[in-house]
């Protein structure tokens, strides 16, 4: 007895000192915590870097420099017959309006005692954008009664002067630039001092179509936004019903056998297929085989639908699975048919999940550019497509493709435009994701 | 618990409502229910007791063809409701389930209002011609489930907001609303506290006046309290079926005796 009690005497342990094993476990936990924090910090850093670079480059595209001019709309040039009939006045091209603007520019500068003797007439004319005469012509054709009057007109400045205002162009860079001269910048500086240059909000960025290499100041994302909108409508109208119907069938009605297993695995695989592959599929199927037009939102919408379907099906099936089986039992137990069970009980409960999945799928489709490149949506599109349904078959652009296109151009002014388009795209994506979160919050139910 | 308190009633005069003969159930290759034959009497509470996995719930779910929703389940044998085979090809399980209501183990009200929970069955079966009739069905059902007084002022409140016992009574009201002839209850009190259990048991006793009630329970005391007939299942076999009093006081089979005395299960 005594031997046993001596052996069994345990060493006295202090609660205030942790043993080696506990210390190790605590150290492991601390390390893991640090790894996690480091990972989160990296993510936040990347996000901040992205936002700073995009906003830093792109915010300036929302303002555009223009020159305030007193323009005398000479009847002798613009409307020789005096009929004020827009059909007749259309004979005067932008060249005629350009001359009027050149005159107005020279007069305005003279009136403000700005010395332009260092500039050639071509350089003076080059201070304004090539787009300015077209806008003046549109203004006059829309309201022929302006002819004969002297109006205040804000002419777009050329992109180099715009860049000078925004700090992108300097006297040093102008020496190396064939598009702008130091003398022109000096005149621009003088105009700025006299208050002739202003930088109003750039509505044109949202309403204009793309513009050529030579006039980045006129380029906008209007057609791209409309094209993206058309495509999103097509994707929504097609992929939501098809995806939900497929999910309901697979989840609620289909027998569980090898075929449904194969289908299930392949839907998951389809979600992982690279977007460019869908582009090739669309090129072969919709354009070469079915003969649909290139660059059309219809084709873009169809390929994005194919791409979005797996996402929606997977999200919908997960949402249906999350509805507790007791609800199905309850409905079947009171004699509801399978369809009634699904449509009265299961689907409403799964709706927040389905909508969230759909919106996230749409957001992915909105930001997708690769498949659109292959179906010709990378084309330069100057005109708005008409209203649906006809407009769905007319050429349009898309936001991500527009970004891609602008980053390809040589003129640094397009970098600003591309970043501006990215901001627009990001705003749409954030808005869609916020909608998804709101829907989930709004319709989430407990049971 | 005094088992001698078993309600004494003469069941010999009652007609069988459901007649099951030679029922076999397989889940894939697993023979879950072996050759069960039993008569469920009209206006009687029948309790199914037995250890977990003995097939009592499986048999219950055969009675309103809820096993149809389990892809791997296969049912053989004959189950007659008022002389008609419920597994006949011509039988639509949807119609059958309106006549054989079911209450589940966990209270499972729809995430809708109390009113809509009860009104759902009558609505889909077209039992009410207008709003007034539907209101009446809802009120009658809730009264029958002894819930009316507690919820009459908040019929539009969500059914999921009620307490567990109230939810279960709501589920009973929902089952009663379609006017069933048989009410199946799969461990209806296992998620409830003793007070709620007592309420539901009192309710079962009242429902027996009009319906044939079949209840699966793990609690032998509950079986003794509410039922007139008891069936003891063990390992997929129906071991013994008889008057509740006889089962609990004078079991014929040694396995039944072992179970009710707590030696197996």
């Amino acid at each position: 007895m005594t031997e046993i009690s001596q052996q069994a005497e345990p060493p006295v342990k202090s609660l205030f000192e942790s043993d080696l094993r506990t210390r190790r476990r605590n150290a492991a936990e601390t390390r893991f915590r640090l790894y996690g924090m480091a990972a989160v910090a990296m993510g936040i850093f990347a996000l901040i870097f992205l936002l700073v670079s995009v906003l830093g480059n792109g915010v300036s595209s929302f303002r555009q420099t223009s020159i305030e001019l007193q323009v005398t709309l000479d009847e002798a040039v613009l409307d020789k017959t005096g009929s004020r009939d827009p059909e007749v006045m259309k004979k005067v091209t932008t060249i005629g309006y350009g001359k009027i603007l050149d005159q107005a520019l020279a007069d305005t500068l003279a009136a403000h005692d700005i010395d332009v003797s260092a500039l050639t007439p071509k350089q003076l004319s080059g201070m304004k954008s090539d787009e300015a005469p077209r806008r003046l012509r549109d203004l006059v054709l829309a309201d022929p009664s302006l002819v004969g009057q002297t109006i205040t007109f804000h002419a777009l400045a050329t992109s180099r002067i715009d860049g000078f205002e925004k700090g992108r162009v300097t006297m040093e860079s102008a020496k190396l630039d064939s598009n702008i001269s130091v003398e022109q910048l000096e005149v621009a500086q003088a105009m700025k001092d006299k208050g002739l240059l202003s930088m109003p909000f750039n509505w044109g960025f949202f309403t204009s179509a793309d513009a050529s290499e030579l006039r980045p100041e006129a380029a906008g994302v209007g057609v791209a936004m409309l094209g993206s909108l058309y495509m999103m409508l097509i994707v929504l109208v097609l992929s939501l019903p098809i995806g939900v119907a497929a999910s309901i069938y697979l989840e609620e009605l289909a027998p569980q056998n090898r075929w449904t297993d194969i289908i299930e695995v392949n839907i998951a695989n389809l979600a992982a297929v690279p977007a460019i592959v869908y582009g090739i599929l669309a090129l072969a199927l919709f354009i070469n085989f079915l003969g649909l037009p290139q660059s059309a939102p219809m084709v873009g919408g169809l390929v994005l639908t194919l791409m979005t379907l797996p996402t929606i099906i997977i999200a919908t099936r997960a949402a249906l699975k999350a509805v507790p089986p007791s609800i199905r039992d309850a409905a079947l137990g009171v004699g509801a048919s399978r369809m009634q069970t699904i449509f009265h009980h299961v689907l409403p409960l799964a709706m927040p999940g389905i909508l969230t999945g759909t919106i996230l799928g749409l957001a992915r489709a909105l930001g997708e550019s690769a498949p659109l490149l292959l179906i010709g949506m990378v084309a330069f599109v100057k005109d708005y497509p008409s209203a649906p349904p006809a407009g769905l078959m007319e050429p349009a652009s898309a936001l991500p493709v527009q970004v891609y296109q602008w980053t390809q151009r040589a003129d640094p002014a397009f970098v600003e435009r591309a970043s501006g388009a990215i901001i627009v795209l990001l705003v749409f994506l954030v808005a869609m994701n916020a909608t998804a979160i709101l829907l989930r919050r709004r319709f989430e139910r407990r049971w | 618990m005094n088992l001698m308190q078993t309600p004494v009633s003469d069941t010999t005069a009652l007609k069988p409502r459901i007649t099951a003969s030679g029922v076999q159930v397989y889940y894939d290759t697993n023979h879950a229910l072996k050759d069960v034959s039993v008569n469920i009497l009209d206006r009687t509470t029948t309790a199914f007791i037995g250890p977990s996995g003995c097939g009592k719930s499986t048999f219950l779910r055969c009675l309103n063809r809820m096993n149809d929703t389990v892809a791997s389940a296969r049912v053989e044998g004959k189950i007659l409701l008022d002389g008609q085979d419920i597994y006949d090809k011509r039988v639509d399980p949807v119609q059958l389930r309106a006549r054989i209501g079911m209450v589940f183990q966990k209270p499972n009200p729809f995430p809708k209002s109390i009113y809509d929970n009860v009104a759902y069955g009558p609505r889909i079966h077209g039992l009410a011609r207008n709003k007034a009739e539907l209101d009446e069905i809802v009120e009658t059902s809730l009264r029958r489930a002894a819930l009316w007084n507690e919820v009459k002022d908040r019929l539009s409140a969500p059914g999921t907001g009620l307490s567990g016992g109230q939810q279960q009574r709501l589920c009973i009201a929902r089952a009663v609303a379609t006017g069933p002839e048989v009410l199946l209850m799969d461990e209806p009190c296992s998620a409830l506290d003793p007070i709620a259990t007592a309420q539901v048991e009192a309710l079962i006793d009242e429902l027996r006046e009009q319906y044939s009630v079949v209840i699966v329970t793990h609690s032998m005391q509950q079986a003794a309290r509410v039922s007139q007939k008891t069936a003891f299942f063990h390992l997929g076999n129906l071991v013994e079926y008889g008057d509740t009093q006889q089962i609990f006081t004078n079991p014929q089979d040694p396995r039944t005796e072992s179970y009710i005395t707590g030696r197996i299960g």
Side-chain angles (χ1 to χ4, degrees):
Chain A
M1 271 313 276
T2 45
E3 272 179 24
I4 291 172
S5 64
Q6 273 167 3
Q7 274 178 359
E9 190 69 43
V12 177
K13 284 183 186 170
S14 167
L15 267 181
F16 303 114
E17 266 173 59
S18 44
D19 59 15
L20 186 64
R21 215 182 146 72
T22 314
R23 278 201 299 280
R24 278 203 192 127
R25 284 189 305 191
N26 290 346
E29 187 183 322
T30 313
R31 273 200 307 278
F32 188 79
R33 210 181 273 266
L34 288 177
Y35 295 151
M37 276 156 66
V40 171
M42 265 167 67
I44 292 177
F45 174 76
L47 180 66
I48 290 176
F49 188 81
L50 171 86
L51 285 180
V52 165
S53 88
V54 166
L55 291 177
N57 279 318
V59 167
S60 56
S61 63
F62 297 120
R63 303 177 79 83
Q64 194 69 39
T65 308
S66 61
I67 309 169
E68 188 183 318
L69 295 177
Q70 297 300 320
V71 181
T72 307
L73 298 168
D74 190 354
E75 186 175 8
V77 178
L78 300 181
D79 190 16
K80 279 174 198 157
T81 58
S83 65
R84 297 288 189 274
D85 179 1
E87 288 305 315
V88 180
M89 285 160 64
K90 271 186 185 166
K91 281 179 192 157
V92 181
T93 62
T94 51
I95 298 172
Y97 288 90
K99 282 179 183 151
I100 286 185
L101 276 178
D102 288 344
Q103 188 59 47
L105 184 58
D107 292 349
T108 307
L109 292 178
H112 286 83
D113 296 327
I114 296 171
D115 180 24
V116 292
S117 56
L119 300 183
T120 65
K122 193 157 182 272
Q123 280 178 323
L124 183 61
S125 169
M127 304 275 293
K128 64 172 193 346
S129 164
D130 292 342
E131 180 73 6
R134 196 180 66 79
R135 294 218 175 147
L136 181 63
R137 180 168 179 264
D138 289 347
L139 188 72
V140 172
L141 290 181
D143 182 10
S145 67
L146 291 174
V147 174
Q149 298 179 26
T150 298
I151 60 167
T152 307
F153 178 70
H154 290 272
L156 272 183
T158 185
S159 71
R160 289 303 187 279
I161 293 190
D162 180 51
F164 181 61
E165 284 290 291
K166 291 169 179 170
R168 190 172 65 232
V169 176
T170 60
M171 296 290 180
E172 283 71 37
S173 73
K175 283 176 193 158
L176 307 168
D177 194 339
S178 62
N179 290 322
I180 196 84
S181 67
V182 175
E183 292 76 22
Q184 281 174 307
L185 289 185
E186 277 163 355
V187 171
Q189 185 61 50
M191 286 159 74
K192 189 181 176 184
D193 295 342
K194 301 274 183 191
L196 290 176
L197 292 186
S198 60
M199 251 210 288
F201 187 76
N202 189 7
W203 290 111
F205 186 63
F206 298 99
T207 55
S208 308
D210 194 7
S212 68
E213 287 274 4
L214 293 174
R215 28 185 172 169
E217 65 275 5
V221 292
V223 172
M225 284 203 303
L226 193 66
S228 279
L229 178 73
Y230 281 6
M231 289 196 295
M232 288 306 105
L233 284 178
I234 293 170
V235 173
L236 185 66
V237 165
L238 291 180
S239 65
L240 185 60
I242 297 177
V244 171
S247 314
I248 289 177
Y249 176 73
L250 286 174
E251 197 58 44
E252 305 280 337
L253 302 174
Q256 294 296 312
N257 56 28
R258 199 182 309 159
W259 289 112
T260 43
D261 282 350
I262 291 175
I263 291 172
E264 201 165 313
V265 167
N266 280 300
I267 287 173
N269 284 341
L270 278 179
V273 167
I276 196 96
V277 177
Y278 281 100
I280 294 173
L281 170 74
L283 180 64
L285 179 64
F286 299 129
I287 295 182
N288 290 345
F289 182 67
L290 291 178
L292 293 174
Q294 293 185 18
S295 298
M298 178 53 110
V299 181
L302 286 173
V303 58
L304 292 178
T305 300
L306 291 182
M307 256 187 57
T308 314
L309 265 177
T311 314
I312 293 187
I313 292 178
I314 290 170
T316 305
R317 293 191 63 182
L320 291 174
K321 251 193 201 111
V323 174
S326 65
I327 296 291
R328 294 182 182 82
D329 280 350
L332 291 172
V334 293
S337 69
R338 266 182 161 180
M339 279 288 105
Q340 286 172 327
T341 304
I342 292 166
F343 283 100
H344 295 171
H345 301 288
V346 178
L347 209 51
L349 289 173
M351 220 44 188
I354 295 173
L355 290 179
T356 307
T358 306
I359 291 174
L360 293 183
L362 279 183
R364 188 186 160 209
L366 177 66
E368 198 57 73
S369 56
L372 303 182
L373 301 182
L374 281 172
I375 57 157
M377 286 205 98
V378 75
F380 177 80
V381 181
K382 190 81 188 75
D383 297 310
Y384 270 90
S386 45
L392 299 180
M393 290 297 194
E394 291 168 14
S397 188
L399 274 173
V401 177
Q402 192 71 70
V403 171
Y404 167 77
Q405 233 185 353
W406 282 343
T407 53
Q408 301 294 301
R409 297 202 182 162
D411 197 317
F414 278 111
V415 175
E416 178 197 60
R417 299 273 144 176
S419 298
I422 290 174
I423 293 173
V424 173
L425 188 56
L426 285 181
V427 166
F428 279 118
L429 292 179
V430 168
M432 288 170 82
N433 285 326
T435 315
I437 292 169
L438 279 180
L439 282 175
R440 203 163 43 201
R441 289 257 172 89
R442 175 81 180 72
F443 292 110
E444 199 160 55
R445 299 209 209 201
R446 272 174 254 276
W447 48 75
Chain B
M1 186 64 221
N2 184 358
L3 292 176
M4 299 311 287
Q5 279 181 350
T6 307
V8 183
S9 64
D10 185 18
T11 52
T12 47
L14 296 168
K15 285 181 307 196
R17 196 88 218 215
I18 296 178
T19 312
S21 47
V23 176
Q24 320 266 358
V25 179
Y26 301 85
Y27 292 115
D28 286 328
T29 54
N30 176 20
H31 197 172
L33 206 59
K34 297 161 194 163
D35 198 24
V36 171
S37 302
V38 71
N39 285 338
I40 309 284
L41 300 183
D42 195 13
R43 279 181 284 156
T44 305
T45 302
T46 308
F48 291 173
I49 59 171
S52 291
C54 66
K56 55 193 189 303
S57 284
T58 297
F59 184 58
L60 191 77
R61 291 169 70 91
C62 287
L63 298 181
N64 69 343
R65 292 186 59 173
M66 280 299 276
N67 276 335
D68 288 16
T69 60
V70 182
S72 61
R74 193 156 48 86
V75 179
E76 287 170 9
K78 261 199 162 53
I79 300 177
L80 307 179
L81 171 68
D82 296 335
Q84 290 176 316
D85 186 359
I86 65 169
Y87 279 90
D88 192 282
K89 277 197 197 96
R90 287 165 293 177
V91 173
D92 188 341
V94 164
Q95 264 180 320
L96 176 73
R97 289 181 200 133
R99 288 176 60 184
I100 305 185
M102 187 155 189
V103 177
F104 297 85
Q105 184 172 0
K106 211 179 123 214
N108 56 353
F110 301 127
K112 297 174 185 282
S113 72
I114 293 170
Y115 184 93
D116 286 338
N117 260 285
V118 182
Y120 182 69
R123 269 197 192 123
I124 59 171
H125 295 295
L127 299 183
R129 269 165 302 176
N130 52 43
K131 179 88 171 73
E133 277 189 23
L134 192 61
D135 286 348
E136 202 186 314
I137 292 177
V138 170
E139 184 179 337
T140 319
S141 308
L142 283 169
R143 275 189 196 285
R144 205 162 283 170
L147 191 60
W148 175 252
N149 286 329
E150 288 159 66
V151 301
K152 63 183 176 198
D153 302 322
R154 45 173 176 150
L155 289 175
S156 57
T160 43
L162 297 172
S163 74
Q166 288 174 323
Q167 285 191 17
Q168 194 61 300
R169 279 180 283 151
L170 178 62
C171 292
I172 293 172
R174 182 176 65 191
V176 168
T178 54
E181 296 147 31
V182 180
L183 203 54
L184 308 179
M185 296 181 150
D186 190 356
E187 297 181 40
C189 300
S190 65
L192 303 185
D193 66 34
I195 295 172
T197 302
Q199 286 170 322
V200 171
E201 282 179 7
L203 184 57
I204 291 171
D205 224 36
E206 272 172 45
L207 293 173
R208 171 169 73 90
E209 309 285 317
Q210 290 174 335
Y211 310 96
S212 171
V213 179
V214 184
I215 178 169
V216 165
T217 177
H218 265 297
S219 153
M220 281 175 281
Q221 290 90 335
Q222 183 171 54
R225 283 194 299 264
V226 300
S227 71
Q228 290 78 51
K229 296 290 255 184
T230 296
F232 170 62
F233 288 78
H234 188 235
L235 300 177
N237 295 302
L238 175 61
V239 174
E240 193 167 351
Y241 175 59
D243 287 342
T244 300
Q245 197 171 14
Q246 173 253 313
I247 293 274
F248 280 100
T249 54
N250 186 22
Q252 304 296 307
D253 194 289
R255 286 171 290 178
T256 315
E257 192 184 1
S258 303
Y259 182 70
I260 60 173
T261 53
R263 282 204 291 278
I264 60 168

